[in-house]
Amino acid sequence: MAAQGNSTDTLFSPYKMGSFDLSHRVVLAPMTRCRALNGVPNAALAEYYAQRTTPGGFLISEGTMISPGSAGFPHVPGIYSEEQVEAWKPVVEAVHSKGGFIFCQLWHVGRASHPLYQPNGGSPISSTDKPISERWRVLLPDGSHSKYPTPRPLHVSEIPRVVEDYCNSAINAIRAGFDGIEIHGAHGYLIDQFMKNGINDRTDQYGGSIENRCRFLLQVVKGVVSAIGASKVGVRISPAIDHLDATDSDPLTLGLAVVGMLNKLQNDTGSKLAYLHVTQPRYHAYGQTESGRQGSDEEEAKLMRSLRTAYNGTFMSSGGFTKELGMQAIQQGDADLVSFGRLFIANPDLVSRFKVDAKLNKYDRKTFYTQDPVVGYTDYSFLAPVSRL
C-alpha cells in the first residue's frame, strides 16, 4: 500500500503485523550460520536466538532445508524430518520464553549446491542446466571451496513434489512451535532461479513471460497459505540483486509483477500475508559492503518505493542498513520493518545498543560459517552481563 510512515515513527515504535503486536521495528534477518551439526538444531541455536530476542521482537530463522537435497552449505538446519521438528522445539521455546516471535525461513538453494550435499551424489536441481559462473564458489563440508556444478533442470512433472516439500515443511515449522514461515524467494536460490530471466531459459509454462517465470513462486505461496494460513506466511524477494548470477533485465517490472500476484492472492483469499520482505539493491554479493552506502541513488529509491507503494500489506526492507538508514526508512514511510543481519551477529543486544547509541561490536567474518558452537556465535559481548541459558 502507499507509504504509511508517520514522521514520529522510529525503529522503536510498536507495530501491529497482523495478529503479532511487535514492540519495535528492528528484525533479526535470516542468516546462514552453519551450527546445526548434521542438519539438526541444537542447544547452541537456542542460545543464539534467545540472546537476540527482546520482548515483542521479531526474528526470522536462518535458511532451513525443506528436503535432503535442498542444502548448499554445511551443517544448515532442516525442517523435513521428525528429528528436526523435535530439535527445533527448544529453540523456538527459548525465543517465546523471552516474549519474542520467530518465523522459520524455508530454503531450497537449487543450483547453488554441490553433489556432496545431494542424496547419492546427484546433480543439484534448478530451472536450467546453466551452472553458476566461476565468479562464485560453493563452500564444502571440509571448509574448502569449489566451483558450482552443472545443475539438472526440473521436469515439469517434478515441480509439484518440490511445492509439496515447501508445504510439508511449513506444517512442520508450525508443529515445532514457530509463529510462521518465510518463503525464501531471493538471492539466487531455487525460486529466484525460476523468476530471473538471466537464469531461466525454459520454453515450457515455467519460462518466458514474467507470469510463467513467477508461476513456481505463486504455486509455493498458494500451497503454503492453504496449509497454514496467509497470516503466518512471509515472502522474501530480491528482484534487483545479482547474487549467484541472479540477474534480470527488468527488476522493477519483475518486482511489481510479484507484488501484483501477491496482492491478488490476498484479495482472493480475503486474508493478508504476514509481510513482504525485499532486499535493497545496495546489498552486495557475499555481504562485501560493511554497512551499506550512506543514502540511496535515484534508481534504487525508485525501485524500493515503487514496490512499497504497490504492495498491500506489511513491507520489510533489508540490505546494508545502519541505524541511521533504518530510522530514515521508517520515518519516510519506505518500510514498516527493517531487518538487520551482520550487525545482529556481533551485537546480540542490537536493539538496546541502537536505543542508547552505544558503540557496536565488530563482527568477525572468518567465523560466520564455522561449526564452533560458541566462538563467533554466542560469545559476542552485551552492554551488561546477561545470564546464559
mmCIF file of all heavy atoms in Angstrom, residues 19-45:
data_model
loop_
_atom_site.group_PDB
_atom_site.id
_atom_site.type_symbol
_atom_site.label_atom_id
_atom_site.label_comp_id
_atom_site.label_asym_id
_atom_site.label_seq_id
_atom_site.Cartn_x
_atom_site.Cartn_y
_atom_site.Cartn_z
ATOM 1 N N SER A 19 -1.652 -10.397 13.411
ATOM 2 C CA SER A 19 -2.017 -10.710 14.800
ATOM 3 C C SER A 19 -0.848 -10.551 15.761
ATOM 4 O O SER A 19 -0.997 -10.793 16.962
ATOM 5 C CB SER A 19 -2.552 -12.140 14.882
ATOM 6 O OG SER A 19 -1.560 -13.075 14.485
ATOM 7 N N PHE A 20 0.313 -10.145 15.250
ATOM 8 C CA PHE A 20 1.511 -10.030 16.077
ATOM 9 C C PHE A 20 1.727 -8.570 16.498
ATOM 10 O O PHE A 20 1.895 -7.695 15.648
ATOM 11 C CB PHE A 20 2.742 -10.540 15.337
ATOM 12 C CG PHE A 20 2.614 -11.963 14.864
ATOM 13 C CD1 PHE A 20 2.351 -12.242 13.529
ATOM 14 C CD2 PHE A 20 2.738 -13.023 15.751
ATOM 15 C CE1 PHE A 20 2.222 -13.546 13.081
ATOM 16 C CE2 PHE A 20 2.610 -14.333 15.320
ATOM 17 C CZ PHE A 20 2.348 -14.597 13.979
ATOM 18 N N ASP A 21 1.729 -8.333 17.788
ATOM 19 C CA ASP A 21 1.972 -6.995 18.319
ATOM 20 C C ASP A 21 3.459 -6.836 18.611
ATOM 21 O O ASP A 21 3.956 -7.303 19.645
ATOM 22 C CB ASP A 21 1.149 -6.766 19.588
ATOM 23 C CG ASP A 21 -0.340 -6.684 19.308
ATOM 24 O OD1 ASP A 21 -0.716 -6.001 18.330
ATOM 25 O OD2 ASP A 21 -1.126 -7.318 20.047
ATOM 26 N N LEU A 22 4.164 -6.204 17.689
ATOM 27 C CA LEU A 22 5.607 -6.027 17.829
ATOM 28 C C LEU A 22 5.894 -4.759 18.630
ATOM 29 O O LEU A 22 5.240 -3.744 18.454
ATOM 30 C CB LEU A 22 6.268 -5.941 16.452
ATOM 31 C CG LEU A 22 5.950 -7.085 15.466
ATOM 32 C CD1 LEU A 22 6.753 -6.907 14.186
ATOM 33 C CD2 LEU A 22 6.209 -8.447 16.087
ATOM 34 N N SER A 23 6.913 -4.837 19.473
ATOM 35 C CA SER A 23 7.253 -3.694 20.322
ATOM 36 C C SER A 23 8.205 -2.726 19.643
ATOM 37 O O SER A 23 8.396 -1.607 20.107
ATOM 38 C CB SER A 23 7.861 -4.182 21.641
ATOM 39 O OG SER A 23 9.068 -4.885 21.394
ATOM 40 N N HIS A 24 8.823 -3.138 18.558
ATOM 41 C CA HIS A 24 9.736 -2.274 17.798
ATOM 42 C C HIS A 24 9.859 -2.813 16.378
ATOM 43 O O HIS A 24 9.295 -3.868 16.044
ATOM 44 C CB HIS A 24 11.109 -2.189 18.483
ATOM 45 C CG HIS A 24 11.777 -3.522 18.684
ATOM 46 N ND1 HIS A 24 12.460 -4.163 17.683
ATOM 47 C CD2 HIS A 24 11.860 -4.330 19.779
ATOM 48 C CE1 HIS A 24 12.947 -5.314 18.143
ATOM 49 N NE2 HIS A 24 12.585 -5.446 19.403
ATOM 50 N N ARG A 25 10.613 -2.116 15.532
ATOM 51 C CA ARG A 25 10.682 -2.426 14.095
ATOM 52 C C ARG A 25 12.002 -3.080 13.691
ATOM 53 O O ARG A 25 12.254 -3.266 12.500
ATOM 54 C CB ARG A 25 10.514 -1.149 13.270
ATOM 55 C CG ARG A 25 9.419 -0.157 13.721
ATOM 56 C CD ARG A 25 8.031 -0.672 13.520
ATOM 57 N NE ARG A 25 7.032 0.352 13.825
ATOM 58 C CZ ARG A 25 6.435 1.127 12.925
ATOM 59 N NH1 ARG A 25 6.750 1.036 11.654
ATOM 60 N NH2 ARG A 25 5.508 2.003 13.292
ATOM 61 N N VAL A 26 12.873 -3.376 14.653
ATOM 62 C CA VAL A 26 14.184 -3.970 14.368
ATOM 63 C C VAL A 26 14.042 -5.486 14.323
ATOM 64 O O VAL A 26 13.754 -6.123 15.334
ATOM 65 C CB VAL A 26 15.221 -3.571 15.437
ATOM 66 C CG1 VAL A 26 16.577 -4.205 15.141
ATOM 67 C CG2 VAL A 26 15.341 -2.055 15.515
ATOM 68 N N VAL A 27 14.250 -6.077 13.141
ATOM 69 C CA VAL A 27 14.037 -7.507 12.935
ATOM 70 C C VAL A 27 15.379 -8.215 12.755
ATOM 71 O O VAL A 27 16.283 -7.698 12.093
ATOM 72 C CB VAL A 27 13.154 -7.737 11.687
ATOM 73 C CG1 VAL A 27 12.958 -9.220 11.408
ATOM 74 C CG2 VAL A 27 11.804 -7.032 11.856
ATOM 75 N N LEU A 28 15.505 -9.406 13.353
ATOM 76 C CA LEU A 28 16.677 -10.240 13.091
ATOM 77 C C LEU A 28 16.509 -10.874 11.722
ATOM 78 O O LEU A 28 15.582 -11.649 11.481
ATOM 79 C CB LEU A 28 16.819 -11.339 14.143
ATOM 80 C CG LEU A 28 17.934 -12.363 13.865
ATOM 81 C CD1 LEU A 28 19.318 -11.720 13.986
ATOM 82 C CD2 LEU A 28 17.818 -13.563 14.798
ATOM 83 N N ALA A 29 17.395 -10.541 10.792
ATOM 84 C CA ALA A 29 17.329 -11.081 9.437
ATOM 85 C C ALA A 29 17.761 -12.545 9.423
ATOM 86 O O ALA A 29 18.560 -12.972 10.248
ATOM 87 C CB ALA A 29 18.237 -10.268 8.509
ATOM 88 N N PRO A 30 17.253 -13.322 8.473
ATOM 89 C CA PRO A 30 17.704 -14.711 8.337
ATOM 90 C C PRO A 30 19.143 -14.755 7.843
ATOM 91 O O PRO A 30 19.491 -14.105 6.855
ATOM 92 C CB PRO A 30 16.737 -15.295 7.301
ATOM 93 C CG PRO A 30 16.237 -14.110 6.533
ATOM 94 C CD PRO A 30 16.224 -12.965 7.492
ATOM 95 N N MET A 31 19.987 -15.521 8.548
ATOM 96 C CA MET A 31 21.407 -15.610 8.193
ATOM 97 C C MET A 31 21.929 -17.021 8.406
ATOM 98 O O MET A 31 21.785 -17.588 9.490
ATOM 99 C CB MET A 31 22.231 -14.644 9.051
ATOM 100 C CG MET A 31 21.973 -13.187 8.765
ATOM 101 S SD MET A 31 22.887 -12.133 9.910
ATOM 102 C CE MET A 31 21.960 -12.418 11.432
ATOM 103 N N THR A 32 22.567 -17.571 7.384
ATOM 104 C CA THR A 32 23.183 -18.881 7.489
ATOM 105 C C THR A 32 24.359 -18.822 8.456
ATOM 106 O O THR A 32 25.215 -17.951 8.338
ATOM 107 C CB THR A 32 23.665 -19.347 6.105
ATOM 108 O OG1 THR A 32 22.540 -19.471 5.244
ATOM 109 C CG2 THR A 32 24.390 -20.672 6.183
ATOM 110 N N ARG A 33 24.398 -19.769 9.420
ATOM 111 C CA ARG A 33 25.471 -19.777 10.406
ATOM 112 C C ARG A 33 26.172 -21.122 10.536
ATOM 113 O O ARG A 33 27.189 -21.242 11.225
ATOM 114 C CB ARG A 33 24.954 -19.328 11.779
ATOM 115 C CG ARG A 33 24.340 -17.930 11.830
ATOM 116 C CD ARG A 33 25.236 -16.815 11.297
ATOM 117 N NE ARG A 33 26.595 -16.885 11.741
ATOM 118 C CZ ARG A 33 27.061 -16.393 12.886
ATOM 119 N NH1 ARG A 33 26.219 -15.820 13.737
ATOM 120 N NH2 ARG A 33 28.336 -16.470 13.201
ATOM 121 N N CYS A 34 25.630 -22.186 9.949
ATOM 122 C CA CYS A 34 26.315 -23.490 9.864
ATOM 123 C C CYS A 34 26.623 -24.132 11.215
ATOM 124 O O CYS A 34 27.646 -24.804 11.360
ATOM 125 C CB CYS A 34 27.605 -23.354 9.055
ATOM 126 S SG CYS A 34 27.391 -22.776 7.358
ATOM 127 N N ARG A 35 25.748 -23.955 12.192
ATOM 128 C CA ARG A 35 25.979 -24.545 13.518
ATOM 129 C C ARG A 35 25.074 -25.729 13.827
ATOM 130 O O ARG A 35 25.168 -26.320 14.903
ATOM 131 C CB ARG A 35 25.789 -23.485 14.606
ATOM 132 C CG ARG A 35 27.059 -22.825 15.102
ATOM 133 C CD ARG A 35 27.749 -21.970 14.090
ATOM 134 N NE ARG A 35 28.895 -21.248 14.654
ATOM 135 C CZ ARG A 35 29.509 -20.223 14.072
ATOM 136 N NH1 ARG A 35 29.084 -19.817 12.883
ATOM 137 N NH2 ARG A 35 30.542 -19.624 14.652
ATOM 138 N N ALA A 36 24.186 -26.090 12.925
ATOM 139 C CA ALA A 36 23.278 -27.212 13.161
ATOM 140 C C ALA A 36 23.930 -28.485 12.636
ATOM 141 O O ALA A 36 23.740 -28.879 11.490
ATOM 142 C CB ALA A 36 21.942 -26.975 12.474
ATOM 143 N N LEU A 37 24.728 -29.122 13.476
ATOM 144 C CA LEU A 37 25.515 -30.264 13.034
ATOM 145 C C LEU A 37 24.622 -31.353 12.444
ATOM 146 O O LEU A 37 23.627 -31.760 13.042
ATOM 147 C CB LEU A 37 26.340 -30.815 14.194
ATOM 148 C CG LEU A 37 27.323 -29.814 14.835
ATOM 149 C CD1 LEU A 37 28.143 -30.487 15.923
ATOM 150 C CD2 LEU A 37 28.228 -29.180 13.779
ATOM 151 N N ASN A 38 24.995 -31.779 11.241
ATOM 152 C CA ASN A 38 24.257 -32.823 10.521
ATOM 153 C C ASN A 38 22.790 -32.439 10.272
ATOM 154 O O ASN A 38 21.915 -33.302 10.174
ATOM 155 C CB ASN A 38 24.339 -34.159 11.263
ATOM 156 C CG ASN A 38 25.774 -34.624 11.441
ATOM 157 O OD1 ASN A 38 26.561 -34.611 10.491
ATOM 158 N ND2 ASN A 38 26.135 -35.018 12.653
ATOM 159 N N GLY A 39 22.546 -31.125 10.192
ATOM 160 C CA GLY A 39 21.223 -30.655 9.840
ATOM 161 C C GLY A 39 20.215 -30.630 10.966
ATOM 162 O O GLY A 39 19.029 -30.402 10.726
ATOM 163 N N VAL A 40 20.686 -30.848 12.213
ATOM 164 C CA VAL A 40 19.766 -30.912 13.354
ATOM 165 C C VAL A 40 20.056 -29.758 14.314
ATOM 166 O O VAL A 40 21.189 -29.617 14.795
ATOM 167 C CB VAL A 40 19.906 -32.259 14.090
ATOM 168 C CG1 VAL A 40 18.941 -32.312 15.277
ATOM 169 C CG2 VAL A 40 19.642 -33.413 13.128
ATOM 170 N N PRO A 41 19.066 -28.923 14.623
ATOM 171 C CA PRO A 41 19.264 -27.832 15.591
ATOM 172 C C PRO A 41 19.703 -28.378 16.951
ATOM 173 O O PRO A 41 19.417 -29.529 17.293
ATOM 174 C CB PRO A 41 17.870 -27.188 15.685
ATOM 175 C CG PRO A 41 17.214 -27.531 14.396
ATOM 176 C CD PRO A 41 17.717 -28.908 14.041
ATOM 177 N N ASN A 42 20.400 -27.524 17.714
ATOM 178 C CA ASN A 42 20.936 -27.960 18.994
ATOM 179 C C ASN A 42 20.885 -26.810 20.001
ATOM 180 O O ASN A 42 20.351 -25.736 19.717
ATOM 181 C CB ASN A 42 22.369 -28.476 18.818
ATOM 182 C CG ASN A 42 23.246 -27.476 18.076
ATOM 183 O OD1 ASN A 42 23.301 -26.299 18.422
ATOM 184 N ND2 ASN A 42 23.923 -27.933 17.017
ATOM 185 N N ALA A 43 21.463 -27.041 21.180
ATOM 186 C CA ALA A 43 21.402 -26.047 22.255
ATOM 187 C C ALA A 43 22.078 -24.739 21.885
ATOM 188 O O ALA A 43 21.681 -23.672 22.371
ATOM 189 C CB ALA A 43 22.030 -26.631 23.522
ATOM 190 N N ALA A 44 23.098 -24.795 21.030
ATOM 191 C CA ALA A 44 23.779 -23.564 20.631
ATOM 192 C C ALA A 44 22.824 -22.642 19.873
ATOM 193 O O ALA A 44 22.851 -21.420 20.047
ATOM 194 C CB ALA A 44 24.999 -23.892 19.769
ATOM 195 N N LEU A 45 21.962 -23.231 19.026
ATOM 196 C CA LEU A 45 20.993 -22.410 18.295
ATOM 197 C C LEU A 45 19.997 -21.780 19.260
ATOM 198 O O LEU A 45 19.612 -20.622 19.091
ATOM 199 C CB LEU A 45 20.249 -23.244 17.252
ATOM 200 C CG LEU A 45 20.937 -23.386 15.874
ATOM 201 C CD1 LEU A 45 22.129 -24.319 15.956
ATOM 202 C CD2 LEU A 45 19.956 -23.865 14.820
#
